Amino acid sequence: MKNSYDIVIIGGGPAGLAAAISAYDEGTKDILILEREDRLGGILNQCIHNGFGLTRFKESLSGPEYASRFIDEVLARNIEVLTQTTVLSLTKDKKITAINTEYGVFTVQAKAVILAMGCRERSRGALNVAGSRPAGIYSAGTAQKYVNIKGYMPGKSVVILGSGDIGLIMARRMTLEGAKVHAVCEIMPYSSGLKRNIAQCLDDFGIPLYLNHTITKIEGDKRVTGVVISKVDENKKPIAGTEMHFDCDTVLFSVGLIPENELTKDAEITLSPRTRGAVVYQNRETLVDGVFACGNVLQVHDLVDFVSEESELAGKSASKYVQEGSKIRDEVEVVNGKNIGYVVPQRLDKNLQGNVKLFFRVTNTFRDCTITAKCGDTVLLQRKKKIVVPGEMETLLLTDAKIAQASGKIEVVLEENV
Amino acid sequence: MSKINLTCIECPIGCNIEVEMVDGKPVSITGNSCPRGKLYAENEVVCPKRVVTSTVRATNGVLVPVKTDKPIKKSEMFEVMKKINQTTCKLPVKIGDILVENISDDANLVATGNA
Ligand SMILES: Cc1cc2nc3c(=O)[nH]c(=O)nc-3n(C[C@H](O)[C@H](O)[C@H](O)COP(=O)(O)OP(=O)(O)OC[C@H]3O[C@@H](n4cnc5c(N)ncnc54)[C@H](O)[C@@H]3O)c2cc1C
Ligand code: SF4
C-alpha cells in the first residue's frame, strides 16, 4: 500500500470492478480498490440466481459468475485491491480515510476518486407498520444473505411486503428450500419487479400477488405469528373490511433500494433529491472535480449489465481526468419534466464529445405515450412507447449533433397520446 | 382451438406471448419480439422447463452456488432440490465444475462460483 494513487475506487462490486478495468485500459494504471467485505463482487455474491449478463455476454449467468468475469480481469491487470477495508471518510480534496486490521486507520491521497459503494435496502422503519417488533422480520436482501451465503433459512412460513425483484427472487428461493410463501403484497397498483420475475418466481409456484395491498398489522410477541393485509384506496389508506389474515413466522420487506451516499455527503458533493445519488455530467463526474460516481450509488439500476456499462464510462473519464486535468465546461442542465421521476445525467458538458444516453424513470404506468427531450420549444428527440412502467429504467440517446443544438436546459417529458 | 397467454422469461423485457393451440399443438405464436421468445413459447406449452439455482455445502461448511447447466422439467424442480440438498463437495471448486452428473435427464449440476 502507498500513500497516494492516481485513482482510488471505493467499493469492489460490479461498478468498482468495471471502472477499474476501463481506467487501467485507458492508460492510468496506478489504481487502488477499497472493499469492505472479504471478497470482491459486491451484492452479486449473494445473487445466486441466473439471468445476469444477457445484454453484455449474451448468456444467462448467475451473480457470482458475472462478477468473476470482472474479478478475473482485475486480477489479470494486477490492480491493487484491499478487501476487509472500510472507507470512513472522503474529503473534497480527495483524501480518503479507511480502516482495516492490517493498517488500522490510514489515509490515502487520490488524484481522482470513483464512488462505487452501491445501495442499501430501505428498512421497515421507513414504513410504519403497526405492531410490536418480534423476531422474524427481515429485509429481502438480508434473507438472501442468510440463505445463500450462510445456509440458514430465516423461517418456514412467509409473507412478503413489496414486489421488488429481490423479494420476488426470495419468494422462489425460499419455496424451493421448502418454505411456504403465502403472498406478496404491493401497495402500488403495479409491481416494481420485472415481469419475468412475476412469472418465474410467483406464477410458477402459485404464489398470489396482491396489488393495492399492504400489511396493516404484524402479530406476535417474541416471534412473528401472523400478519393482516388490507386493500388500500387511491390515497394508499387501508380500506376497512378488506382485511385478510395469514399465519406466518416470517415477514420479508422488499420495498426499494437507496444509494449509499454517506461518504458523498461528507465530501459535500451535491446530491440529487430525485435519485439520492450525486448530480453528474455525462462522463459521470460529480460537481466536485475529479470525483466520479457509477453503479447503484449513482442511480438504482435494475440490471447489472447497465451498471457495468456506466462504470466503464466513469473509469475512462477518471483516467482522462488524471492525464489531462479539468477543462472548461459549456453546461446544459437536464431536468425531469411532466411524468418523469428523474434523469441521469443531470448535466451535460457540450465540450465533452460523443453521444449521450439519458437514463430515466417514469412516475406511473402509461400506455401509448410519447417521450420527448426538448430545449425550450425545440424538440431534440421524440420516442413513442406502447407501455412504460416505473419499475423499468428507460433510455434516450442524444447524439452529438442534437446536444450541439441545446442551450440552457433540456427537459424530458412524457405525454399521453390521445 | 384454445389460447394460452405467457410471459416470456428469456430476457428482462418480458414480452406477453399468445399461443393458439389446436389438438395440444401450438399453431400460432404472437407477441414475441425475437426468435428466442418463439422457442420459449413452443417449449412452454408442451413441457415447461426451468434452470434451477441453489447452493451446495462444501465439506468445510462454505456454500458453493450451483445451477443446472440446462433447463430441467418444471415438474421435477423439487425432486432436483432434494438431490441438491443431499450433495456435498470438496474444495477447491471452480466455476463450471460438475458436482452431480445427469441430475435430471441430461442436465448436470455445475458450480457457478469459485470457492
Ligand atoms: C440485496 C440486493 C439484491 C440484488 N439483486 C439483484 C439482482 O438479482 N439482479 C440485478 O440485476 N441486480 C440486483 N441488485 C442490484 C445490484 O445491486 C446491482 O445490479 C449491482 O450489484 C450494483 O453494483 P454496484 O457495484 O453499484 O453495487 P454493489 O454490488 O452493492 O457493490 C458495492 C460495494 O461497495 C462496498 N462498499 C460500500 N461502502 C463501502 C465503504 N464505505 N468502504 C468500502 N467498501 C464499501 C460494498 O461492500 C460492496 O461490495 C440487488 C441489490 C441488492 C441490494
Ligand atoms: S420474446 Fe425475446 S425480447 Fe421478448 S422477452 Fe422473450 S427473449 Fe426477450
Side-chain angles (χ1 to χ4, degrees):
Chain A
M1 222 239 329
K2 304 185 297 169
N3 295 329
S4 67
Y5 290 83
D6 282 347
I7 301 178
V8 174
I9 300 174
I10 309 176
L17 294 168
I21 296 163
S22 77
Y24 186 99
D25 292 349
E26 279 300 305
T28 305
K29 306 200 159 142
D30 184 33
I31 301 174
L32 174 67
I33 302 176
L34 299 173
E35 168 56 51
R36 184 170 59 192
E37 299 293 325
D38 59 3
R39 55 181 161 170
L40 295 172
I43 215 78
L44 291 182
N45 287 319
Q46 70 185 58
C47 299
I48 62 160
H49 56 278
N50 64 342
F52 297 88
L54 282 164
T55 310
R56 189 173 183 104
F57 297 114
K58 310 278 173 272
E59 277 182 72
S60 178
L61 303 172
S62 73
E65 283 177 306
Y66 186 93
S68 82
R69 303 227 167 162
F70 290 85
I71 295 171
D72 290 349
E73 295 288 319
V74 164
L75 299 179
R77 285 166 180 74
N78 275 319
I79 293 171
E80 197 174 335
V81 176
L82 285 179
T83 51
Q84 290 183 293
T85 303
T86 301
V87 174
L88 302 172
S89 72
L90 166 71
T91 66
K92 255 184 175 166
D93 47 8
K94 301 184 262 297
K95 272 198 186 55
I96 292 154
T97 305
I99 185 167
N100 68 19
T101 47
E102 198 179 344
Y103 303 110
V105 175
F106 61 94
T107 300
V108 288
Q109 175 71 53
K111 285 186 189 147
V113 174
I114 301 176
L115 306 173
M117 291 91 75
C119 57
R120 65 186 144 85
E121 293 178 277
R122 263 178 228 269
S123 64
R124 179 194 175 203
L127 285 157
N128 256 329
V129 176
S132 58
R133 301 201 163 212
I137 304 172
Y138 305 91
S139 74
T142 304
Q144 189 177 46
K145 192 169 183 179
Y146 279 145
V147 179
N148 294 343
I149 306 276
K150 300 191 172 153
Y152 149 80
M153 281 281 279
K156 287 209 174 71
S157 174
V158 187
V159 172
I160 300 178
L161 176 61
S163 61
D165 284 313
I166 310 166
L168 300 179
I169 296 282
M170 284 314 291
R172 174 177 64 181
R173 182 78 183 108
M174 291 188 71
T175 303
L176 283 173
E177 290 289 358
K180 170 79 188 159
V181 179
H182 302 280
V184 174
C185 61
E186 168 60 60
I187 196 163
M188 303 302 282
Y190 50 81
S191 162
S192 55
L194 296 172
K195 274 180 273 179
R196 67 194 297 229
N197 285 339
I198 307 267
Q200 63 183 349
C201 298
L202 301 187
D203 298 350
D204 269 6
F205 301 96
I207 301 169
L209 169 63
Y210 295 103
L211 297 173
N212 296 307
H213 277 73
T214 190
I215 294 183
T216 39
K217 191 166 179 218
I218 295 178
E219 298 162 352
D221 182 11
K222 290 207 172 67
R223 172 88 198 190
V224 173
T225 56
V227 296
V228 175
I229 78 173
S230 307
K231 198 169 182 193
V232 297
D233 62 19
E234 307 86 70
N235 303 318
K236 312 274 166 272
K237 290 266 174 304
I239 304 171
T242 61
E243 295 86 0
M244 276 189 277
H245 180 271
F246 294 95
D247 285 333
C248 65
D249 61 19
T250 304
V251 176
L252 299 189
F253 285 88
S254 179
V255 291
L257 301 169
I258 312 175
E260 179 81 66
N261 274 304
E262 298 312 316
L263 295 173
T264 321
K265 277 182 218 155
D266 274 0
E268 294 167 48
I269 293 169
T270 309
L271 296 182
S272 151
R274 295 266 166 185
T275 56
R276 304 237 211 159
V279 170
V280 290
Y281 293 95
Q282 70 262 45
N283 65 351
R284 299 304 185 265
E285 189 166 4
T286 66
L287 300 192
V288 171
D289 276 2
V291 179
F292 299 78
C294 55
N296 280 357
V297 77
L298 180 64
Q299 55 175 331
V300 175
H301 290 261
D302 312 317
L303 294 171
V304 70
D305 304 68
F306 294 126
V307 170
S308 302
E309 183 185 321
E310 171 167 284
S311 306
E312 280 165 350
L313 174 59
K316 200 170 157 181
S317 313
S319 174
K320 224 172 161 182
Y321 173 86
V322 168
Q323 287 162 29
E324 298 169 12
S326 45
K327 302 249 171 75
I328 293 165
R329 298 195 190 276
D330 181 2
E331 287 191 24
V332 179
E333 202 180 344
V334 187
V335 297
N336 52 296
K338 191 175 170 192
N339 298 329
I340 304 290
Y342 74 75
V343 187
V344 169
Q346 297 88 347
R347 304 278 169 102
L348 296 184
D349 177 354
K350 289 167 82 173
N351 291 338
L352 295 171
Q353 272 140 26
N355 303 338
V356 174
K357 219 189 230 178
L358 300 178
F359 292 84
F360 56 93
R361 284 182 196 270
V362 298
T363 52
N364 213 327
T365 300
F366 297 99
R367 286 167 206 279
D368 291 318
C369 56
T370 305
I371 296 171
T372 310
K374 59 183 185 183
C375 202
D377 292 334
T378 317
V379 170
L380 300 175
L381 192 63
Q382 214 158 38
R383 285 269 172 285
K384 283 201 172 19
K385 287 278 193 178
K386 270 204 208 122
I387 180 163
V388 290
V389 295
E392 283 168 39
M393 203 187 271
E394 298 289 332
T395 60
L396 277 181
L397 188 73
L398 279 184
T399 57
D400 240 355
K402 295 286 177 196
I403 295 168
Q405 289 175 25
S407 66
K409 189 158 44 174
I410 295 175
E411 192 180 23
V412 180
V413 296
L414 180 151
E415 301 278 0
E416 288 176 275
N417 301 337
V418 277
Chain B
M1 196 181 73
S2 64
K3 280 184 183 171
I4 302 178
N5 287 303
L6 301 171
T7 302
C8 177
I9 62 169
E10 294 294 315
C11 91
I13 296 172
C15 297
N16 293 321
I17 302 182
E18 193 175 273
V19 187
E20 282 183 18
M21 303 286 288
V22 172
D23 299 331
K25 291 208 178 69
V27 291
S28 130
I29 294 177
T30 51
N32 55 302
S33 310
C34 79
R36 290 225 323 272
K38 180 160 181 278
L39 195 65
Y40 171 78
E42 281 166 357
N43 292 327
E44 187 69 9
V45 293
V46 181
C47 175
K49 289 186 169 180
R50 299 288 183 264
V51 168
V52 170
T53 63
S54 187
T55 54
V56 161
R57 200 174 280 280
T59 39
N60 74 341
V62 165
L63 293 188
V64 177
V66 295
K67 70 175 177 192
T68 57
D69 62 359
K70 293 190 188 73
I72 59 139
K73 290 195 190 90
K74 194 168 125 180
S75 55
E76 307 226 320
M77 279 195 288
F78 285 95
E79 204 45 49
V80 165
M81 278 302 293
K82 223 185 254 169
K83 289 186 191 164
I84 292 175
N85 284 336
Q86 285 161 5
T87 304
T88 57
C89 67
K90 282 212 186 83
L91 298 183
V93 172
K94 285 189 100 59
I95 289 175
D97 285 358
I98 296 179
L99 302 184
V100 181
E101 269 181 32
N102 303 329
I103 194 160
S104 181
D105 295 325
D106 60 343
N108 302 313
L109 188 71
V110 299
T112 67
N114 300 319

